[in-house]
Amino acid sequence: MRHIVIVGAGQAGSLLALGLLAEGYRVTMVSERTAEQIGNGRVLSNQCVFEPALRHERALGLNHWDGQVPPVTGIAFDAGMPGSADPFISWVSPLDHPAQSVDQRLKMSFWLNEFVARGGELRIARATPEDLAGYAREADLVLVAAGRGPQFDSVFPRDDARSPYSEPQRGITLHLVTAPGDFYQGVTFGLVPGVGEFFVLPLLTAAGPKTGLYFSAIPGGPMDVFDGVTDAARHLELCQEQLRRFFPWSAGAAEDAKSDGPLDFLTGRITPVVRHGVGTLPTGQPVLAMGDTAITNDPIAGQGANNAVHCARIYQRLILEHGDRPFDAEFMRTCFDRYWDYARHSTRFNNDLLAPPPVHVLETLQAAQEFPEVAHRFAHLFNDPSDYEPWLGDPEVARAYLREVAERVA
Ligand SMILES: Cc1cc2nc3c(=O)[nH]c(=O)nc-3n(C[C@H](O)[C@H](O)[C@H](O)COP(=O)(O)OP(=O)(O)OC[C@H]3O[C@@H](n4cnc5c(N)ncnc54)[C@H](O)[C@@H]3O)c2cc1C
C-alpha cells in the first residue's frame, strides 16, 4: 500500500488526506495542533468557499454542514468615495449556486477527527524543514500543506517571476459577531479608493450562525488602525467606527453587533507569494507544496481556501492516475504545474484587486449597476476566476464586451 505523508491539517492537507484514505492509501498527517486545540483556538479565516470547490468537498462526502450553514446567496458590490454618505456604484447579483462559509475551527477539527476515525494516522508535532527527510524516507510521497508564512522558505523558495508583490498590500482584520443588524445574506464587498475594502458575510461557527466583518486597509491609510488592539470590545468598537466613517451605507450591519471574545477576531498582514512548489531536500529527496505553502494570496478575493480545495482535487487525481510509478521530482512538477494552471487565474484576479482599480474595471463595475448580466459575470469571477484575465485583463476586450451588452439590451 502506498504511503503518503502530509504536513499540515488545514483546508488543503486534510482534504487530500481524506480523499486518499478513501482510495485505500496509507496516509499520515502531521499536525501541530490536535482537533480540540484547533476547535478551541483563534478564528483563522473568513473561508468563503464557492460552488466549484464545494462540489469537490461534496464528492468526498465532507459536506457535513449543508443543512445548517447559511447560504451565501450572491455578491453585493458598493463603491464610494471617502466621506460620502452613499456609494456611487451599488449592485447585487445572485450566485447561480450559493457559496458557504463554515468556520475553519469547526471544519478542520471535525475533519481531523474524521481522518482518525476513517483509519488515518495522526502525529501531533510541529514539523520542521529538517524533519521532511525523515518523512521522505518512510513514505512514497511527502506533501507540505502547512499554510502561509516563512517556515518552509528554505525548501520552497519564492518564485519572483510569479510574485509581483514583496510586501503586504493590506492590513487585514476580521471579527466574527452575533446580533448583527440588517445585511445582505451574501458577500457584501465595499470599496473606497485610497482607504481599502470591507466585506461582510454570514457564516456558521461551532456556536451557531455568526457574521464575519472583514476590513482590508491600505497600509498606512486612514483605515489601517487595528494593529495592536487586543481587547475584543475595543476591536469591535473600532470596526463600527470604521464602518460609520468609510462605509456608512453598510454600518447597520454592525451597529448592535456583539463580540464573543478575544478568540473571535484576528489582525495581520499577508505578503502574496507564489513559491517554487517542488522542493529538494539537502538529502536530494523531492517534496511537494500544497495550498498556501505553495501559493499565498491576500484574502481580498476570498480565493485561498478555494485554491486549497482545487489543489487537493488536482493532486489527488494525479496521484491516483500515477498508479505504482515512483513519485519523483518530475511527477511533482507536473502536479504543481497543473495546480498553477488553475491558481494563476485566482492569483491574477486577487493581485489585481489589490492594485488601484483601472478605469476599464471601474467602467465595468459601473455598468454592472445597469446590466444584470455584467454584474452576474463579475460576481462569478469569485467562483471561476479563469474568466478574469481574458475579460478584465484586457481593457479593449472589457470595453468591447460592455458595448456588445449595451447594444444587445438596447
Ligand atoms: C482573515 C482571512 C480571511 C480569509 N477569507 C477567505 C475566504 O473568504 N475565502 C477563501 O477562499 N480564503 C480565505 N482566506 C484564505 C484561506 O483561509 C487560506 O488560504 C486557506 O486556509 C489555506 O489552506 P491551507 O490548508 O493551505 O493552509 P491552512 O488553512 O493555514 O492550514 C495549515 C495547517 O497546517 C498547520 N501547520 C502549520 N505549520 C505546521 C507545521 N510546521 N507542522 C504541522 N502542522 C503545521 C496549521 O496549524 C494548519 O492547521 C482567508 C484568510 C484570512 C487570514
Side-chain angles (χ1 to χ4, degrees):
M1 187 191 292
R2 306 210 90 183
H3 181 202
I4 315 286
V5 170
I6 300 174
V7 174
Q11 177 74 55
S14 293
L15 205 54
L16 181 63
L18 283 156
L20 290 175
L21 261 190
E23 295 291 341
Y25 287 73
R26 176 182 165 203
V27 185
T28 301
M29 228 181 348
V30 183
S31 171
E32 62 177 348
R33 292 187 296 165
T34 63
E36 200 181 358
Q37 286 166 335
I38 294 171
N40 294 330
R42 180 177 286 275
V43 62
L44 297 162
S45 177
N46 239 348
Q47 71 270 309
C48 187
V49 177
F50 294 90
E51 167 65 16
L54 290 176
R55 235 182 283 142
H56 181 61
E57 294 185 357
R58 289 194 185 111
L60 295 178
L62 295 170
N63 50 323
H64 308 277
W65 304 276
D66 271 2
Q68 311 151 51
V69 59
V72 174
T73 54
I75 306 285
F77 177 80
D78 303 302
M81 295 311 288
S84 63
D86 293 305
F88 63 89
I89 300 176
S90 183
W91 52 259
V92 176
S93 176
L95 288 167
D96 291 342
H97 302 280
Q100 288 183 1
S101 173
V102 177
D103 189 336
Q104 282 189 344
R105 292 171 294 185
L106 170 62
K107 192 172 185 178
M108 298 315 147
S109 55
F110 186 91
W111 281 359
L112 199 47
N113 285 330
E114 198 67 11
F115 172 74
V116 174
R118 294 184 186 188
E121 180 188 327
L122 175 63
R123 293 184 202 163
I124 301 299
R126 183 170 168 82
T128 64
E130 293 69 41
D131 293 329
L132 299 180
Y135 302 143
R137 267 195 301 278
E138 62 173 298
D140 297 291
L141 172 63
V142 175
L143 297 116
V144 183
R148 63 180 182 272
Q151 53 174 327
F152 289 98
D153 270 4
S154 60
V155 184
F156 306 109
R158 174 190 154 93
D159 183 338
D160 291 329
R162 291 174 173 173
S163 307
Y165 298 117
S166 50
E167 289 180 354
Q169 299 300 301
R170 293 292 186 273
I172 62 174
T173 203
L174 168 67
H175 205 132
L176 305 193
V177 296
T178 46
D182 196 21
F183 72 101
Y184 174 62
Q185 293 298 300
V187 177
T188 297
F189 172 3
L191 166 72
V192 175
V195 173
E197 299 79 22
F198 166 67
F199 296 83
V200 54
L201 86 166
L203 42 81
L204 181 72
T205 72
K210 291 196 186 186
T211 300
L213 307 174
Y214 177 83
F215 294 82
S216 159
I218 292 180
M223 199 170 72
D224 191 12
V225 295
F226 291 94
D227 283 352
V229 180
T230 53
D231 178 71
R234 177 62 196 135
H235 188 274
L236 179 54
E237 251 171 42
L238 258 186
C239 291
Q240 290 162 331
E241 284 168 24
Q242 302 316 302
L243 275 179
R244 280 183 225 119
R245 185 168 170 207
F246 297 113
F247 302 89
W249 52 87
S250 284
E255 223 35 71
D256 298 315
K258 292 191 174 38
S259 171
D260 288 331
L263 295 177
D264 268 2
F265 74 94
L266 65 77
T267 299
R269 281 163 210 265
I270 294 173
T271 302
V273 58
V274 177
R275 297 177 190 282
H276 293 281
V278 181
T280 306
L281 303 177
T283 52
Q285 297 147 307
V287 288
L288 178 59
M290 293 190 73
D292 273 10
T293 302
I295 298 169
T296 305
N297 285 325
D298 180 282
I300 191 165
Q303 294 297 305
N306 291 273
N307 279 350
V309 176
H310 290 294
C311 185
R313 173 180 62 76
I314 291 164
Y315 284 9
Q316 178 173 333
R317 182 172 50 77
L318 292 168
I319 289 169
L320 296 186
E321 284 173 8
H322 205 62
D324 290 332
R325 285 171 285 163
F327 294 120
D328 53 14
E330 192 189 333
F331 166 77
M332 294 185 195
R333 270 192 295 277
T334 303
C335 289
F336 184 68
D337 289 350
R338 294 283 161 76
Y339 174 44
W340 177 244
D341 284 345
Y342 172 84
R344 71 189 176 87
H345 298 291
S346 51
T347 301
R348 169 83 196 269
F349 176 41
N350 214 86
N351 284 340
D352 280 11
L353 279 183
L354 292 168
V359 173
H360 71 280
V361 172
L362 284 173
E363 287 167 357
T364 302
L365 290 166
Q366 186 112 40
Q369 263 189 159
E370 195 181 340
F371 303 114
E373 96 167 58
V374 178
H376 179 270
R377 188 170 176 187
F378 192 91
H380 284 78
L381 289 175
F382 294 89
N383 268 35
D384 177 10
S386 70
D387 189 31
Y388 175 80
E389 196 167 4
W391 173 30
L392 292 170
D394 183 335
E396 285 318 306
V397 173
R399 291 198 171 110
Y401 169 66
L402 292 186
R403 280 195 301 274
E404 189 253 309
V405 172
E407 278 163 22
R408 195 156 21 87
V409 171

